[in-house]
Amino acid sequence: MSVLILCAGLVGAISVARAQDPAAGKTLFQQKCASCHNPHKKLTGPALAGVEDRWPDKKLLHQWIRNSASVLATGDKYANDLFNEYSKLTMTPFPELKDEDIDNILAYVNSVPAPGAAKPGADSAAAGEVQEESGSNSLLFGVITLILAIVAVILMQINSNLNKLAAEKEGHERLEPVPFYKNKAYIALGILILFVIGGYFTIQGAIGLGRQQNYMPEQPIFYSHKVHAGINQINCLYCHSSAEKSKHAMIPSENVCMNCHKAITEYTGPELFTAEGKKVNGTAEIQKLFDHVGWDPKAGRYTKPGQPIEWTKIHSLPDHVYFNHSQHVVAGKVQCQTCHGDIQQMDEVKQFADLSMGWCVNCHRTTKVQFTENNYYSIFEKLHNDIKENKIDSVTVEMLGGTECQKCHY
């Protein structure tokens, strides 16, 4: 009997461990919680680190997250104190969250290190060192190749001179060699090489017309995605809400910025620097926002007409290309970072990918879509039956017609 109890306990422990998935919790946290909460900093709501220790009952915590009003109705003292402390604001109800989902969110919150405890730049610095080392090796190999080519030419010249001396010593008449710049074979070979090299660079230049990978223009206000989406973990869709509803992601209007910056009038985060290494005054940049919208932070009201912020567009596709954000975000479940890179680590946004046709087609050929339990793909009955019958284990975008020309050009 004791063995059975022990086995049951181990199975339960394993089940709990498996249920707590910080990676899945991070996604849910960014979607549901990040606009109001931070693991280690008070925002609209309290910091969430250690929230399980502050609640006397875990089931009550789960109920609070699903529907805070129902917990307030029970008269729970801690819940009511929390409600009064945060301006009597009730939390948005999330009845769709399962216990497993909430545990995943809490696991993610507990996995986030406190500010100063970790060095976020360590990985990127290591990656930079590897990239720099790779670049140095390429340069070294190029120099060695050039030196060997020069040595080969010198050895060929020495060999020619030795053959000439040997022929003169033996009394053989030796014709003077034709200079290489008059030799028709060398001239033809040189023209062929120049034609190939010129053709290669011409083709590469033509292919690259209109592409602007790594393009990083200076913006009228220094807006750091690293601060907003990274440190404060604001969900991308809070600002770019139309990304899941329309073709364009759209630049958020100023009133979206002011939802937070009516209360946040000073920058107190880590130091900011431009790509050139120039230090940025975060508070002065917030003041630029106030100047554009006509907000007086001391008076706490708008005192003059607002002016639009003239942001510089970074990502552009040719007019003959059709791309729909909502189709990728909602139906395809594509994460923003897939196309835009580690946007949460960028102080100044740059174009991460070249956005070429080859890049898109390759993604369609290799990306597995979230096909099962996705009602958008319910019309593909044959593929659903193939999965059920184990004929295929997954579905790529290509299998849905994602490499057909008319999907993007029509």
Side-chain angles (χ1 to χ4, degrees):
M1 180 63 71
S2 59
V3 173
L4 290 176
I5 294 174
L6 177 61
C7 291
L10 289 173
V11 170
I14 293 172
S15 299
V16 170
R18 286 179 178 174
Q20 295 181 348
D21 183 355
K26 180 179 180 179
T27 301
L28 289 170
F29 179 88
Q30 292 175 340
Q31 292 174 349
K32 311 287 187 182
C33 316
S35 58
C36 296
H37 293 281
N38 180 277
H40 300 285
K41 182 180 177 182
K42 287 185 178 181
L43 297 178
T44 306
L48 296 184
V51 65
E52 293 175 275
D53 298 330
R54 297 195 294 269
W55 279 83
D57 186 355
K58 188 173 182 179
K59 289 184 179 179
L60 196 63
L61 172 59
H62 281 213
Q63 184 181 348
W64 172 266
I65 294 172
R66 288 196 188 93
N67 188 352
S68 59
S70 65
V71 179
L72 292 171
T74 65
D76 182 81
K77 183 179 183 303
Y78 180 77
N80 279 276
D81 289 344
L82 198 64
F83 175 70
N84 293 325
E85 181 183 352
Y86 286 89
S87 305
K88 297 185 177 181
L89 295 174
T90 55
M91 195 169 71
T92 303
F94 299 107
E96 71 279 6
L97 291 179
K98 303 175 183 177
D99 286 340
E100 179 182 352
D101 296 330
I102 296 175
D103 287 336
N104 288 341
I105 293 174
L106 296 175
Y108 164 69
V109 170
N110 293 331
S111 71
V112 177
K119 297 181 179 179
D123 293 339
S124 58
E129 291 174 3
V130 172
Q131 187 175 1
E132 183 178 354
E133 182 180 353
S134 176
S136 300
N137 289 339
S138 299
L139 179 61
L140 178 62
F141 292 149
V143 171
I144 292 175
T145 302
L146 180 61
I147 293 173
L148 291 176
I150 294 173
V151 170
V153 171
I154 293 173
L155 290 176
M156 290 173 64
Q157 189 64 37
I158 292 174
N159 181 63
S160 176
N161 291 335
L162 289 175
N163 287 335
K164 181 179 179 181
L165 290 174
E168 290 177 353
K169 185 177 181 180
E170 294 177 2
H172 298 301
E173 184 179 358
R174 182 179 175 86
L175 298 176
E176 288 293 329
V178 178
F180 74 91
Y181 55 85
K182 292 183 178 180
N183 190 308
K184 294 181 179 180
Y186 287 167
I187 293 173
L189 180 61
I191 292 174
L192 180 61
I193 292 174
L194 290 175
F195 178 80
V196 172
I197 294 174
Y200 172 79
F201 283 106
T202 300
I203 292 172
Q204 291 300 314
I207 291 174
L209 285 175
R211 296 184 190 171
Q212 48 188 21
Q213 188 175 14
N214 296 320
Y215 175 53
M216 184 192 291
E218 183 178 352
Q219 301 291 354
I221 298 177
F222 187 90
Y223 178 91
S224 171
H225 276 75
K226 183 176 181 179
V227 170
H228 291 78
I231 297 174
N232 292 313
Q233 299 183 1
I234 298 175
N235 191 344
C236 300
L237 295 176
Y238 178 75
C239 299
H240 302 283
S241 57
S242 56
E244 60 178 354
K245 299 175 183 176
S246 72
K247 175 181 176 182
H248 301 286
M250 304 298 289
I251 296 173
S253 58
E254 289 81 356
N255 69 299
V256 175
C257 305
M258 292 303 297
N259 286 341
C260 296
H261 282 288
K262 281 183 179 180
I264 303 172
T265 59
E266 295 182 358
Y267 177 73
T268 57
E271 292 185 338
L272 300 173
F273 297 91
T274 65
E276 295 77 22
K278 182 180 177 181
K279 189 173 180 179
V280 176
N281 185 333
T283 301
E285 298 301 313
I286 295 175
Q287 185 59 49
K288 290 181 182 179
L289 169 65
F290 295 157
D291 293 339
H292 274 89
V293 301
W295 174 260
D296 185 343
K298 294 181 179 179
R301 59 189 177 86
Y302 294 99
T303 57
K304 61 181 180 180
Q307 299 292 331
I309 302 173
E310 297 182 0
W311 300 103
T312 301
K313 186 176 177 63
I314 298 176
H315 302 86
S316 298
L317 291 175
D319 292 341
H320 61 270
V321 175
Y322 176 82
F323 177 86
N324 191 312
H325 269 87
S326 64
Q327 185 176 359
H328 288 75
V329 174
V330 178
K333 310 296 183 185
V334 178
Q335 296 297 314
C336 304
Q337 291 84 347
T338 302
C339 300
H340 296 289
D342 290 331
I343 198 79
Q344 72 277 9
Q345 297 297 329
M346 297 183 189
D347 276 322
E348 294 182 270
V349 175
K350 67 177 181 179
Q351 182 173 314
F352 165 73
D354 63 3
L355 303 182
S356 64
M357 185 175 76
W359 183 81
C360 295
V361 169
N362 185 62
C363 182
H364 284 188
R365 285 173 175 166
T366 58
T367 301
K368 295 180 180 180
V369 299
Q370 295 187 20
F371 191 78
T372 55
E373 298 182 3
N374 190 333
N375 292 332
Y376 183 84
Y377 300 118
S378 59
I379 61 174
F380 294 94
E381 184 177 354
K382 180 181 182 302
L383 293 176
H384 281 287
N385 291 334
D386 287 346
I387 290 177
K388 292 176 182 178
E389 296 171 4
N390 295 322
K391 292 182 179 179
I392 56 176
D393 61 354
S394 60
V395 177
T396 64
V397 182
E398 183 178 25
M399 297 167 68
L400 304 176
T403 55
E404 297 174 5
C405 301
Q406 63 270 24
K407 290 291 184 180
C408 302
H409 306 287
Y410 64 88

XYZ file of all heavy atoms in Angstrom, residues 171-232:
496
model
N 72.845 25.358 -73.960
C 72.981 25.841 -75.324
C 71.735 25.740 -76.164
O 71.787 25.896 -77.387
N 70.571 25.514 -75.511
C 69.327 25.452 -76.252
C 68.801 26.860 -76.493
O 68.823 27.721 -75.597
C 68.272 24.640 -75.505
C 68.676 23.204 -75.289
N 68.973 22.349 -76.333
C 68.834 22.480 -74.144
C 69.285 21.165 -75.845
N 69.214 21.221 -74.503
N 68.333 27.057 -77.683
C 67.747 28.356 -77.992
C 66.338 28.426 -77.404
O 65.532 27.527 -77.571
C 67.675 28.558 -79.511
C 67.168 29.944 -79.893
C 67.116 30.150 -81.402
O 67.516 29.222 -82.137
O 66.667 31.212 -81.831
N 66.085 29.472 -76.685
C 64.791 29.603 -75.997
C 64.131 30.909 -76.429
O 64.728 31.980 -76.340
C 64.977 29.595 -74.481
C 63.673 29.686 -73.706
C 63.976 29.643 -72.218
N 62.775 29.841 -71.433
C 61.943 28.886 -71.081
N 62.187 27.630 -71.458
N 60.880 29.149 -70.348
N 62.948 30.792 -76.950
C 62.216 31.970 -77.390
C 61.731 32.774 -76.195
O 61.397 32.218 -75.144
C 61.007 31.560 -78.259
C 61.338 30.812 -79.557
C 60.035 30.383 -80.240
C 62.170 31.696 -80.493
N 61.777 34.074 -76.376
C 61.258 34.943 -75.312
C 59.757 34.726 -75.155
O 59.012 34.731 -76.132
C 61.524 36.406 -75.651
C 62.984 36.818 -75.540
C 63.474 36.769 -74.097
O 62.638 37.013 -73.183
O 64.651 36.453 -73.889
N 59.268 34.518 -73.905
C 57.827 34.299 -73.715
C 57.033 35.569 -74.001
O 57.523 36.689 -73.826
C 57.732 33.924 -72.234
C 58.933 34.555 -71.603
C 60.029 34.487 -72.634
N 55.841 35.353 -74.479
C 54.950 36.485 -74.753
C 54.497 37.072 -73.424
O 54.049 36.325 -72.546
C 53.726 36.039 -75.577
C 52.786 37.223 -75.822
C 54.187 35.426 -76.885
N 54.626 38.392 -73.220
C 54.151 38.990 -71.962
C 52.674 38.649 -71.726
O 51.887 38.565 -72.669
C 54.348 40.491 -72.188
C 55.406 40.584 -73.234
C 55.201 39.400 -74.125
N 52.339 38.459 -70.447
C 50.981 37.998 -70.118
C 49.921 38.983 -70.599
O 48.821 38.590 -70.965
C 50.857 37.766 -68.608
C 50.782 39.022 -67.793
C 49.554 39.601 -67.481
C 51.940 39.644 -67.343
C 49.486 40.752 -66.733
C 51.870 40.811 -66.603
C 50.634 41.375 -66.294
N 50.271 40.285 -70.638
C 49.267 41.262 -71.053
C 49.065 41.285 -72.573
O 48.190 41.967 -73.070
C 49.634 42.659 -70.546
C 51.011 43.148 -70.946
C 51.213 43.775 -72.179
C 52.100 42.967 -70.104
C 52.476 44.208 -72.547
C 53.363 43.401 -70.459
C 53.549 44.026 -71.680
O 54.794 44.463 -72.053
N 49.927 40.517 -73.309
C 49.726 40.389 -74.749
C 49.267 38.985 -75.133
O 48.958 38.740 -76.304
C 51.032 40.712 -75.488
C 51.456 42.171 -75.388
C 52.703 42.424 -76.206
C 53.137 43.894 -76.157
N 54.350 44.140 -76.950
N 49.260 38.101 -74.157
C 48.866 36.717 -74.413
C 47.348 36.648 -74.596
O 46.583 37.027 -73.707
C 49.302 35.836 -73.234
C 49.151 34.364 -73.547
O 48.091 33.917 -73.972
N 50.217 33.606 -73.309
N 46.898 36.176 -75.755
C 45.464 36.149 -76.060
C 44.682 35.248 -75.098
O 43.541 35.555 -74.738
C 45.245 35.681 -77.498
C 45.779 36.651 -78.545
C 45.510 36.151 -79.954
C 46.032 37.159 -80.993
N 45.791 36.688 -82.377
N 45.308 34.147 -74.689
C 44.627 33.235 -73.764
C 44.379 33.924 -72.414
O 43.294 33.829 -71.828
C 45.452 31.968 -73.566
N 45.418 34.640 -71.911
C 45.273 35.361 -70.652
C 44.237 36.477 -70.767
O 43.439 36.726 -69.850
C 46.615 35.948 -70.215
C 47.606 34.930 -69.696
C 48.954 35.265 -69.508
C 47.204 33.623 -69.380
C 49.873 34.338 -69.041
C 48.109 32.695 -68.922
C 49.440 33.056 -68.754
O 50.342 32.134 -68.285
N 44.289 37.171 -71.913
C 43.327 38.275 -72.127
C 41.898 37.737 -72.137
O 40.993 38.302 -71.512
C 43.643 39.012 -73.434
C 44.987 39.736 -73.320
C 42.535 40.001 -73.778
C 45.463 40.366 -74.620
N 41.665 36.611 -72.849
C 40.332 36.021 -72.915
C 39.872 35.550 -71.529
O 38.716 35.751 -71.133
C 40.327 34.853 -73.898
N 40.820 34.935 -70.784
C 40.486 34.464 -69.434
C 40.134 35.644 -68.521
O 39.177 35.584 -67.743
C 41.658 33.673 -68.853
C 41.454 33.099 -67.436
C 40.284 32.122 -67.424
C 42.737 32.423 -66.944
N 40.920 36.726 -68.631
C 40.652 37.910 -67.807
C 39.293 38.522 -68.117
O 38.555 38.920 -67.211
N 38.962 38.600 -69.410
C 37.653 39.145 -69.802
C 36.525 38.276 -69.272
O 35.504 38.774 -68.772
C 37.570 39.267 -71.342
C 38.536 40.347 -71.841
C 36.147 39.593 -71.786
C 38.635 40.431 -73.352
N 36.711 36.948 -69.344
C 35.689 36.028 -68.851
C 35.479 36.188 -67.346
O 34.340 36.237 -66.856
C 36.095 34.584 -69.171
C 35.109 33.483 -68.711
C 33.758 33.671 -69.391
C 35.673 32.099 -69.012
N 36.599 36.318 -66.605
C 36.499 36.486 -65.146
C 35.795 37.794 -64.806
O 34.903 37.838 -63.944
C 37.905 36.441 -64.508
C 38.494 35.032 -64.636
C 37.841 36.869 -63.045
C 39.934 34.917 -64.169
N 36.175 38.890 -65.492
C 35.527 40.179 -65.245
C 34.042 40.130 -65.594
O 33.215 40.734 -64.898
C 36.228 41.269 -66.064
C 37.649 41.656 -65.603
C 38.258 42.654 -66.574
C 37.616 42.236 -64.186
N 33.699 39.392 -66.651
C 32.294 39.274 -67.046
C 31.485 38.547 -65.971
O 30.383 38.968 -65.613
C 32.203 38.516 -68.382
C 30.794 38.311 -68.853
C 30.094 39.325 -69.478
C 30.149 37.084 -68.667
C 28.799 39.138 -69.918
C 28.858 36.881 -69.093
C 28.179 37.918 -69.719
N 32.073 37.455 -65.433
C 31.377 36.683 -64.395
C 31.214 37.521 -63.134
O 30.127 37.593 -62.538
C 32.143 35.382 -64.093
C 31.546 34.680 -62.878
C 32.114 34.456 -65.303
N 32.300 38.188 -62.706
C 32.233 38.999 -61.487
C 31.259 40.162 -61.668
O 30.412 40.444 -60.800
C 33.642 39.528 -61.111
C 34.555 38.370 -60.731
C 33.540 40.537 -59.959
C 35.996 38.777 -60.475
N 31.352 40.848 -62.812
C 30.447 41.964 -63.073
C 28.995 41.517 -63.141
O 28.099 42.190 -62.619
N 28.760 40.361 -63.772
C 27.395 39.836 -63.856
C 26.848 39.488 -62.493
O 25.669 39.767 -62.197
N 27.705 38.900 -61.643
C 27.272 38.520 -60.295
C 26.830 39.748 -59.509
O 25.743 39.777 -58.916
C 28.407 37.797 -59.564
C 28.112 37.550 -58.101
C 27.292 36.510 -57.698
C 28.665 38.390 -57.123
C 27.022 36.283 -56.357
C 28.387 38.173 -55.780
C 27.571 37.128 -55.398
O 27.305 36.924 -54.074
N 27.679 40.783 -59.491
C 27.341 41.980 -58.710
C 26.169 42.738 -59.321
O 25.383 43.367 -58.602
C 28.563 42.896 -58.594
C 29.576 42.412 -57.589
C 30.770 41.854 -57.998
C 29.313 42.505 -56.232
C 31.700 41.411 -57.074
C 30.226 42.056 -55.295
C 31.438 41.508 -55.713
N 26.023 42.685 -60.643
C 24.870 43.327 -61.273
C 23.570 42.644 -60.862
O 22.580 43.305 -60.529
C 25.012 43.287 -62.807
O 26.209 43.983 -63.190
C 23.816 43.947 -63.479
N 23.588 41.308 -60.871
C 22.395 40.550 -60.479
C 22.063 40.788 -59.012
O 20.906 41.015 -58.650
C 22.603 39.050 -60.752
C 22.668 38.804 -62.266
C 21.486 38.225 -60.129
C 23.060 37.394 -62.635
N 23.108 40.754 -58.139
C 22.870 40.982 -56.717
C 22.324 42.381 -56.449
O 21.436 42.575 -55.622
C 24.175 40.772 -55.930
C 24.648 39.331 -55.877
C 23.631 38.410 -55.234
O 23.064 38.711 -54.193
N 23.382 37.270 -55.876
N 22.837 43.356 -57.187
C 22.352 44.717 -57.033
C 20.906 44.852 -57.484
O 20.103 45.539 -56.844
N 20.562 44.186 -58.604
C 19.185 44.246 -59.109
C 18.224 43.557 -58.144
O 17.121 44.044 -57.888
C 19.102 43.596 -60.492
N 18.667 42.405 -57.589
C 17.819 41.687 -56.640
C 17.587 42.522 -55.384
O 16.499 42.517 -54.800
C 18.462 40.329 -56.266
C 18.425 39.381 -57.464
C 17.748 39.693 -55.069
C 19.156 38.070 -57.233
N 18.600 43.269 -54.963
C 18.506 44.034 -53.723
C 17.835 45.386 -53.856
O 17.704 46.109 -52.853
N 17.383 45.749 -55.059
C 16.738 47.050 -55.228
C 15.488 47.150 -54.356
O 14.617 46.275 -54.387
C 16.359 47.265 -56.698
C 17.504 47.597 -57.661
C 16.989 47.664 -59.093
C 18.156 48.925 -57.280
N 15.382 48.201 -53.583
C 14.211 48.409 -52.744
C 14.266 47.713 -51.402
O 13.411 47.953 -50.550
N 15.250 46.860 -51.170
C 15.367 46.192 -49.875
C 16.188 47.058 -48.926
O 17.112 47.737 -49.347
C 16.034 44.824 -50.031
C 15.221 43.859 -50.858
C 15.879 42.497 -50.890
N 15.247 41.629 -51.864
C 15.709 40.447 -52.227
N 16.812 39.992 -51.666
N 15.082 39.722 -53.126
N 15.841 47.016 -47.661
C 16.518 47.878 -46.704
C 16.698 47.172 -45.361
O 16.329 47.702 -44.319
C 15.751 49.183 -46.535
C 14.246 49.025 -46.318
C 13.529 50.349 -46.345
O 14.032 51.332 -46.891
N 12.359 50.398 -45.743
N 17.266 45.969 -45.428
C 17.544 45.241 -44.201
C 18.490 46.048 -43.322
O 19.424 46.681 -43.809
C 18.156 43.873 -44.523
C 18.291 42.959 -43.313
C 18.782 41.573 -43.693
O 19.262 41.356 -44.794
N 18.661 40.617 -42.773
N 18.237 46.032 -42.000
C 19.005 46.779 -40.992
C 18.779 48.292 -41.071
O 19.503 49.053 -40.429
C 20.502 46.469 -41.090
C 20.815 45.014 -40.788
O 20.226 44.434 -39.882
N 21.723 44.426 -41.535
N 17.778 48.727 -41.827
C 17.447 50.152 -41.906
C 16.968 50.635 -40.539
O 16.043 50.081 -39.950
C 16.365 50.353 -42.966
C 15.830 51.762 -43.076
C 16.683 52.843 -43.250
C 14.464 52.003 -43.026
C 16.184 54.135 -43.376
C 13.951 53.282 -43.148
C 14.819 54.348 -43.324
O 14.326 55.624 -43.438
N 17.611 51.679 -40.007
C 17.289 52.188 -38.677
C 17.261 53.719 -38.720
O 18.257 54.371 -38.402
C 18.310 51.701 -37.645
C 17.994 52.121 -36.206
S 19.390 51.832 -35.088
C 19.427 50.046 -35.052
N 16.140 54.307 -39.128
C 16.083 55.770 -39.210
C 15.952 56.402 -37.826
O 15.500 55.770 -36.871
C 14.824 56.008 -40.040
C 13.943 54.849 -39.705
C 14.877 53.674 -39.520
N 16.338 57.670 -37.748
C 16.151 58.415 -36.500
C 14.710 58.890 -36.431
O 14.175 59.435 -37.387
C 17.112 59.604 -36.448
C 17.028 60.394 -35.159
C 18.019 61.545 -35.113
O 18.864 61.624 -36.035
O 17.948 62.367 -34.186
N 14.069 58.669 -35.288
C 12.660 59.018 -35.118
C 12.522 60.355 -34.393
O 13.441 60.786 -33.688
C 11.932 57.920 -34.332
C 11.969 56.552 -34.971
C 11.136 56.467 -36.248
O 10.427 57.405 -36.624
N 11.218 55.329 -36.942
N 11.389 61.037 -34.548
C 11.204 62.336 -33.887
C 11.205 62.241 -32.360
O 11.526 63.199 -31.673
C 9.839 62.805 -34.407
C 9.154 61.579 -34.905
C 10.237 60.688 -35.412
N 10.818 61.079 -31.818
C 10.892 60.820 -30.382
C 11.619 59.495 -30.191
O 11.333 58.514 -30.881
C 9.491 60.751 -29.736
C 8.767 62.087 -29.878
C 9.589 60.366 -28.268
C 7.351 62.079 -29.323
N 12.581 59.464 -29.271
C 13.313 58.230 -29.010
C 12.401 57.278 -28.238
O 12.221 57.416 -27.026
C 14.581 58.532 -28.207
C 15.482 57.337 -28.033
C 16.480 57.059 -28.956
C 15.332 56.486 -26.948
C 17.308 55.964 -28.804
C 16.143 55.386 -26.780
C 17.140 55.129 -27.715
N 11.795 56.352 -28.956
C 10.883 55.375 -28.355
C 11.603 54.040 -28.256
O 11.990 53.467 -29.278
C 9.612 55.233 -29.182
C 8.649 54.207 -28.630
C 7.656 54.583 -27.733
C 8.736 52.865 -28.981
C 6.780 53.652 -27.205
C 7.871 51.931 -28.454
C 6.896 52.330 -27.573
O 6.038 51.392 -27.044
N 11.798 53.553 -27.048
C 12.531 52.307 -26.830
C 11.573 51.134 -26.665
O 10.839 51.054 -25.679
C 13.419 52.424 -25.584
O 13.975 51.165 -25.258
N 11.568 50.222 -27.635
C 10.790 48.995 -27.489
C 11.369 48.120 -26.368
O 10.643 47.345 -25.750
C 10.779 48.212 -28.800
C 9.728 48.673 -29.765
N 9.854 49.832 -30.481
C 8.530 48.141 -30.114
C 8.780 49.996 -31.249
N 7.960 48.981 -31.043
N 12.665 48.254 -26.125
C 13.288 47.473 -25.052
C 12.682 47.857 -23.701
O 12.431 46.990 -22.858
C 14.797 47.716 -25.038
C 15.548 46.889 -24.004
C 17.046 47.110 -24.117
C 17.805 46.268 -23.104
N 19.273 46.452 -23.216
N 12.434 49.151 -23.505
C 11.835 49.616 -22.246
C 10.370 49.206 -22.165
O 9.907 48.678 -21.155
C 11.975 51.149 -22.114
C 11.142 51.667 -20.946
C 13.436 51.522 -21.941
N 9.617 49.434 -23.253
C 8.176 49.209 -23.215
C 7.817 47.721 -23.326
O 7.115 47.176 -22.474
C 7.492 49.994 -24.343
C 7.523 51.474 -24.142
N 8.652 52.238 -24.401
C 6.576 52.347 -23.704
C 8.384 53.504 -24.128
N 7.145 53.603 -23.708
N 8.295 47.063 -24.383
C 7.927 45.660 -24.611
C 8.816 44.697 -23.839
O 8.389 43.592 -23.503
C 7.991 45.332 -26.105
N 10.070 45.119 -23.543
C 10.996 44.239 -22.846
C 10.910 44.357 -21.344
O 10.432 43.454 -20.658
N 11.360 45.502 -20.804
C 11.407 45.673 -19.347
C 10.008 45.708 -18.746
O 9.706 45.008 -17.768
C 12.187 46.957 -18.991
C 13.645 46.834 -19.463
C 12.122 47.230 -17.500
C 14.458 48.089 -19.296
N 9.114 46.522 -19.336
C 7.760 46.648 -18.791
C 6.785 45.624 -19.352
O 5.633 45.550 -18.903
C 7.227 48.067 -19.037
C 7.981 49.103 -18.233
O 8.204 48.920 -17.049
N 8.391 50.186 -18.867
